[in-house]
Amino acid sequence: MKSKSTVKELLEKLGTVLALLILIVIFCIVMPDKFPRIGNIMNILKQASINCLIASGMLCALITAGIDLSVGSNCVLCTCTIGVLVQNFGVTNALILAVCGLAVSTFAGFINGTLLTRLDLPHPFVSTMGMKNVLLGVALVITGSKSIGFTNTGVDALMWIGGGSVFKFGTFPGIPVSFILVILVFILFDIFLKKSALGRQIYCCGGNPEAARLSGIPSKNVLTFVYALSGFMAGLAGVVSVGRLASANANAGTTYDNDAIAACIVGGASFTGGKGTIWGTLIGAMIMAVIRNGLNLMGASNDLQYIVIGAVIILAVTIDVVRNKMEANARKMAAQ
């Protein structure tokens, strides 16, 4: 029995990695002259960076058995804030622009957490869905519903974060700066969630709320922090998108919410809370990036991409439900 349990745990940990490898092999077979190229691989890493950063904040919300549906609009609001500061006020200092964008997004996340914990709303779906529309509306208002370009505006240092590469040599295009940022952030997240008291409290609030209450964990403060953190990570993704997209467009983040949720669930997180790892989320985000990249190279229309991504989300949620039922049955059998 012990060996079977060990094999099962190993398969659960390596399942998403295996799925990613299978996807890569399929696309390499289908498009041997396009997909395996080193330039395309680096492009996938660059494409995945925005979703990775947003998904890291989403992961914390899911661990608490919550959700943040405003991350896409929050990311876009950060980018639009930077765009307005550059275009209307002539600000070109990269540090000032990044701090202002992050401050706006973090404050929006803090409002999400405050609405949830202080108004005792039944579920964060309510507050974050409302904020999603509010933040999108604010982004449209401050930009006049127009796209703002960052090319030739003197913010090259900021654009380098999302669009630059390092370690270039010969024909090697270099490793995207944005993905290096992702790895550094994820290392910090891993340490935070595993080693810190607050990280353990986040898992406890989602896995066993009653135990968290009885142990004296300030659940409301923890939840407020989680949604502020989710806002901050959405803002950091917004900073990266400045260089990635070279423009601020209020309508650019329509798929960010779904992609982040899918990355987390595919990576092992659960809507029931208490589960999920930052490295599983990274693999989930890479799966989403590989799918989008492969479909783009195949010339698939946006309509078809929506269908495929939607199917992936449904499949991931179905797997999550089945997994939870199996675990519940196992606990019942163990108790008998």
Side-chain angles (χ1 to χ4, degrees):
M1 289 294 292
K2 187 175 180 181
S3 62
K4 287 183 178 180
S5 177
T6 303
V7 172
K8 181 181 177 182
E9 291 177 359
L10 184 62
L11 287 175
E12 287 180 352
K13 291 180 179 179
L14 299 180
T16 51
V17 177
L18 182 61
L20 176 60
L21 292 176
I22 291 174
L23 272 174
I24 292 174
V25 170
I26 290 174
F27 282 127
C28 285
I29 294 173
V30 174
M31 296 173 291
D33 58 331
K34 294 181 180 180
F35 188 84
R37 291 185 175 181
I38 189 66
N40 186 55
I41 300 302
M42 293 301 106
N43 190 42
I44 291 175
L45 297 182
K46 192 178 292 185
Q47 290 174 344
S49 298
I50 293 176
N51 190 27
C52 284
L53 294 172
I54 295 176
S56 62
M58 181 70 75
L59 172 66
C60 293
L62 288 171
I63 290 174
T64 64
I67 197 169
D68 188 352
L69 298 176
S70 68
V71 287
S73 296
N74 208 350
C75 173
V76 166
L77 178 60
C78 172
T79 307
C80 290
T81 298
I82 293 174
V84 170
L85 289 174
V86 173
Q87 179 175 269
N88 297 353
F89 298 94
V91 180
T92 57
N93 184 286
L95 180 59
I96 294 176
L97 292 171
V99 169
C100 289
L102 289 170
V104 169
S105 294
T106 304
F107 181 67
F110 173 77
I111 293 176
N112 274 331
T114 302
L115 290 174
L116 173 65
T117 59
R118 307 307 169 186
L119 297 182
D120 295 321
L121 297 178
H123 195 272
F125 178 93
V126 179
S127 56
T128 60
M129 175 60 79
M131 283 297 293
K132 172 188 176 79
N133 291 282
V134 169
L135 298 179
L136 176 59
V138 172
L140 288 168
V141 168
I142 64 175
T143 59
S145 301
K146 297 179 181 179
S147 178
I148 299 174
F150 290 108
T151 305
N152 299 323
T153 55
V155 292
D156 295 348
L158 194 63
M159 292 185 66
W160 178 76
I161 297 174
S165 299
V166 293
F167 307 121
K168 298 179 182 180
F169 56 89
T171 58
F172 182 65
I175 301 174
V177 175
S178 56
F179 195 74
I180 293 176
L181 174 64
V182 166
I183 297 301
L184 293 175
V185 168
F186 274 40
I187 290 173
L188 293 176
F189 257 89
D190 186 56
I191 296 172
F192 167 68
L193 290 174
K194 289 181 179 179
K195 304 296 183 181
S196 72
L198 181 55
R200 291 190 290 270
Q201 288 175 353
I202 290 173
Y203 276 101
C204 189
C205 287
N208 196 332
E210 183 61 18
R213 185 184 67 83
L214 294 174
S215 61
I217 293 175
S219 298
K220 290 187 176 182
N221 293 341
V222 171
L223 290 175
T224 301
F225 170 81
V226 163
Y227 285 92
L229 178 61
S230 180
F232 176 84
M233 295 311 302
L236 189 58
V239 172
V240 169
S241 72
V242 169
R244 172 64 186 151
L245 304 178
S247 66
N249 189 328
N251 295 310
T254 54
T255 63
Y256 289 171
D257 310 333
N258 292 337
D259 283 5
I261 294 170
C264 294
I265 299 300
V266 169
S270 173
F271 286 113
T272 58
K275 298 178 184 176
T277 65
I278 195 66
W279 299 116
T281 299
L282 175 64
I283 300 300
M286 291 306 303
I287 288 175
M288 300 301 294
V290 167
I291 291 174
R292 285 196 179 278
N293 179 266
L295 291 175
N296 283 328
L297 291 179
M298 292 173 66
S301 65
N302 286 334
D303 300 339
L304 180 58
Q305 291 189 36
Y306 278 123
I307 293 173
V308 172
I309 298 300
V312 170
I313 294 174
I314 293 173
L315 178 62
V317 173
T318 302
I319 293 173
D320 178 42
V321 171
V322 172
R323 182 173 56 205
N324 289 330
K325 287 183 178 179
M326 291 176 64
E327 291 178 355
N329 291 334
R331 285 193 296 269
K332 287 181 181 179
M333 293 179 63
Q336 290 177 352

